[in-house]
Amino acid sequence: MLHGKRSDMVVHEEEPFNAETARGALAEASVTSTAAFFSRNHGAIPRSGPSSWRLSVDGLVDEQLSLSLDELRERFAEREIVATLQCAGNRRQDLLEVREIPGEAPWGPGATGTATWRGVALADVLQAARPQDAAEHVAFVGADVSDEPQPPEAYGASIPRRKAERSEVLLAWEMNGEALPAVHGGPLRAVVPGFIGARSVKWLKRIELRAAPWDGFFQSTAYRLLPPEGEAAPGAGIALGEIALNSDILAPDDDARLSAGAIEVRGYAFAGGERRVVRVDVSLDAGASWAQAELLDDLGRWAWRLWRTELDLEPGSHEIVVRAWDSAAASQPERPGPLWNPKGYVNNAWGRVRVHAET
Ligand SMILES: Nc1nc2c(c(=O)[nH]1)N[C@H]1C(S)=C(S)[C@@H](COP(=O)(O)O)O[C@H]1N2
Ligand SMILES: [Mo]
């Protein structure tokens, strides 16, 4: 398979490569194997080896930096975290019930995954660059060029400085104990736990400290939420940042044929931001009654929770639904909400699969 991925990936596009993890593969372990991890790309993967790689840090800083990978390793302490990455387009398929989304892939629930990331804290690198007071945003610029915007431009995005200075935000060169593969941004990427995947910029070449958010297409026009009649335009709508609480069912698969009786149901729940998943409920009767699921491995505050429960299936067709609760006592809406935008971001509604049970 392409890019060392498993053959059960759901490939939405080969070039640029866009593929999600199959439900069953995602349910296998709390840390997703690299060979099964989703990949979302807006342009071709740039070719540049680790030896020639340099990262520059500039903009509103007192000390501009230009660092090789070796210099990054030597100058700053190594850190490792387990963090979930989730694309803002995850579960977009269900948004299609609400409205057509032209030109965008119908991502299912597999545009997310959890990995161990190793590198240095962005905060430590920023400290060495001595940001000026006026620097309120930290922008990341990748080496890839996307032709989604016209004219084509380098992929870039920013996060608020107050997030960038937190210890969980990494500049990572390792994923699940191995050198970061090119398809995931190797040799170096940002990992911004709790934020939409779009802010974890791959093939990171440049960090710019700025007074305002990044003004490129992928921050100013895309990855924003608009009201139903909104038109995408630079600065229109609400910029996405922290991920919205959501959950979905990974096993059984949608449309599965099963034997009636006891079945195991498994899935994920992810809170985003600094919130945590505290409870997951599963229902066989469209939410009239709920059974509380068991939360599996706790991998720390930046990782999702896989969960499991057992249900007793009567013969016939059923819709199994799931909803999670977070540490702010918020839960998920029953159906995708009225907010929409031309790219169809943010489906945090209940997860659903249909199953058919035979005697
Ligand atoms: N340079 C660059 N970084 C990028 C992207 C990209 O196209 N180019 N895609 C972003 C999006 S939308 C997501 S969801 C994540 C996906 O990371 P992955 O491919 O490692 O799973 O990378 C983000 N970083
Ligand atoms: Mo994304």
Side-chain angles (χ1 to χ4, degrees):
M1 233 299 208
L2 280 169
H3 307 292
K5 294 292 169 186
R6 283 165 44 157
S7 59
D8 60 355
M9 298 293 289
V10 181
V11 178
H12 292 290
E13 215 178 346
E14 280 190 10
E15 192 54 56
F17 186 63
N18 282 293
E20 69 177 286
T21 316
R23 282 184 204 261
L26 217 47
E28 283 168 9
S30 291
V31 173
T32 316
S33 75
T34 303
F37 206 95
F38 84 102
S39 191
R40 173 81 179 102
N41 299 292
H42 292 279
I45 296 170
R47 293 183 200 290
S48 171
S51 50
S52 58
W53 198 264
R54 290 196 85 79
L55 171 71
S56 64
V57 185
D58 57 38
L60 299 174
V61 294
D62 282 342
E63 177 86 26
Q64 287 200 7
L65 305 175
S66 168
L67 299 156
S68 69
L69 278 180
D70 284 343
E71 287 163 345
L72 262 184
R73 279 175 214 262
E74 280 155 22
R75 277 187 69 175
F76 306 101
E78 287 196 24
R79 314 228 184 179
E80 189 173 273
I81 58 161
V82 180
T84 297
L85 274 195
Q86 192 160 108
C87 181
N90 189 42
R91 307 180 65 229
R92 179 185 286 148
Q93 190 165 36
D94 296 351
L95 284 174
L96 296 170
E97 288 168 20
V98 184
R99 192 159 162 176
E100 212 184 307
I101 306 165
E104 292 295 323
W107 293 90
T112 184
T114 300
T116 302
W117 308 95
R118 191 174 181 82
V120 295
L122 171 62
D124 292 344
V125 177
L126 292 182
Q127 201 180 29
R130 289 188 282 124
Q132 295 163 5
D133 288 348
E136 291 201 32
H137 297 270
V138 177
F140 305 117
V141 187
D144 54 328
V145 174
S146 171
D147 60 12
E148 280 174 47
Q150 282 308 324
E153 60 180 57
Y155 187 91
S158 67
I159 58 174
R161 178 172 168 187
R162 64 177 184 281
K163 174 70 178 177
E165 289 182 333
R166 293 180 52 100
S167 59
E168 71 269 14
V169 181
L170 297 192
L171 306 180
W173 57 73
E174 217 176 273
M175 176 181 186
N176 291 335
E178 284 169 359
L180 186 65
V183 71
H184 292 295
L188 190 72
R189 78 176 301 168
V191 174
V192 185
F195 272 50
I196 61 165
R199 307 299 183 229
S200 290
V201 174
K202 303 192 276 188
W203 313 294
L204 185 62
K205 292 289 293 180
R206 181 172 169 234
I207 295 173
E208 188 197 3
L209 282 96
R210 302 168 52 89
W214 181 245
D215 52 12
F217 176 81
F218 294 100
Q219 181 101 17
S220 71
T221 306
Y223 294 103
R224 300 179 81 93
L225 208 55
L226 284 92
E229 300 316 321
E231 287 285 334
I238 305 164
L240 299 177
E242 294 184 353
I243 291 171
L245 171 68
N246 73 72
S247 63
D248 213 337
I249 295 161
L250 299 173
D253 207 345
D254 197 24
D255 247 354
R257 301 201 164 267
L258 309 163
S259 312
I263 60 155
E264 184 184 52
V265 184
R266 297 168 70 92
Y268 65 70
F270 186 54
E274 286 172 44
R275 297 170 311 283
R276 315 209 51 184
V277 170
V278 297
R279 178 184 165 119
V280 170
D281 302 325
V282 180
S283 174
L284 252 184
D285 52 16
S289 62
W290 297 93
Q292 197 176 331
E294 178 195 348
L295 299 179
L296 304 177
D297 322 289
D298 184 349
L299 299 174
R301 66 188 306 186
W302 306 111
W304 65 10
R305 296 300 290 271
L306 293 190
W307 52 263
R308 67 173 295 282
T309 192
E310 269 166 38
L311 294 178
D312 195 29
L313 274 193
E314 305 269 318
S317 289
H318 305 273
E319 190 175 51
I320 307 176
V321 301
V322 62
R323 70 172 185 208
W325 295 85
D326 72 16
S327 45
S331 190
Q332 303 172 241
E334 186 171 343
R335 298 278 171 193
L339 276 180
W340 176 85
N341 83 16
K343 292 172 87 72
Y345 298 123
V346 186
N347 173 23
N348 67 328
W350 295 357
R352 296 168 188 273
V353 295
R354 285 209 74 80
V355 296
H356 314 283
E358 283 140 30
T359 43

